[in-house]
Amino acid sequence: MKRRMEINGLAVEAEYSDETVETIFLPLLAGLCRLQKEAGRRLIVFLAAPPATGKSTLVKFLTELSEGTPGLKPLTAVGMDGFHHYQEYLLSHKVLRDGKEIPMTHVKGAPVSFDLEAFTKRLLRVRREEQCPWPEYNRKLHDPVDNAVLIEGDVVLIEGNYLLLDEEGWRNLKGHADYTVRILAKEKDLRDRLIWRRASNGVSQKEAEYMVDSNDLPNVRLCMERSMEGDLTLRLRENGDYEYVAGKLP
């Protein structure tokens, strides 16, 4: 199934096999609807995956699929990127990396560059408030914009790199979710995708490779090696589609 969508202001064409849509995506969405009905309250779903696994595109596709399929509740999809620390904070703080103090801006995208406390507090608000504002990360401003969207739906899908991270503080997040999905991928495929992404933004090939190897890949490895299991685990295939790995559909 092909669908042309707009992601972060860019036109993107998503293509997933009919088998993936029929055996994974539609049953997933139907199952979430059942869980929400049984719970009788808002359902919070986590989709955790390393950088470059196509999270934003997949979430947009699932949102449109839920809206266009009779009998399904429309998803409300948001990301955790809106909880990056503001650039002013990153510029004024340092972090220890390999025994050296470096500006936090050099590790932007790592767990330390997120405001975990603010994210946790907002999750609690999503649980108890019928309408809850949510921030978004603005790539032009390189900063979050608070209250950019309003969460109102019965099924809320939150995507991010570290939602299932098994580290102090972060591991508590899983308790706020009713259902979790984890996505795996081959490191080489993600490296290629990340280099292409960097290079497509006007960075030279050599600089793109350096930026990916020094900053992006450590975050990829952290997600891959230090994340807890999800209720459902999928794997990104080389062609951009997904396949079932483990767990149960809701």
Side-chain angles (χ1 to χ4, degrees), residues 126-197:
V126 171
R127 175 68 75 194
R128 69 174 183 263
E129 297 179 12
E130 186 174 341
Q131 295 183 324
C132 179
W134 191 269
E136 284 188 340
Y137 186 79
N138 187 301
R139 296 184 182 277
K140 293 182 179 179
L141 298 176
H142 301 290
D143 254 336
V145 177
D146 201 14
N147 303 333
V149 295
L150 188 65
I151 293 176
E152 298 181 285
D154 290 331
V155 181
V156 178
L157 176 61
I158 303 173
E159 58 91 357
N161 297 332
Y162 306 116
L163 295 172
L164 292 175
L165 186 62
D166 191 11
E167 292 194 351
E168 186 176 355
W170 290 91
R171 66 173 61 96
N172 299 329
L173 292 177
K174 189 176 183 181
H176 296 285
D178 298 291
Y179 188 83
T180 59
V181 180
R182 185 184 180 199
I183 296 178
L184 305 176
K186 294 180 180 178
E187 182 178 309
K188 179 185 179 303
D189 292 342
L190 297 184
R191 182 177 185 272
D192 291 344
R193 283 169 161 249
L194 286 163
I195 290 173
W196 176 86
R197 181 189 294 177

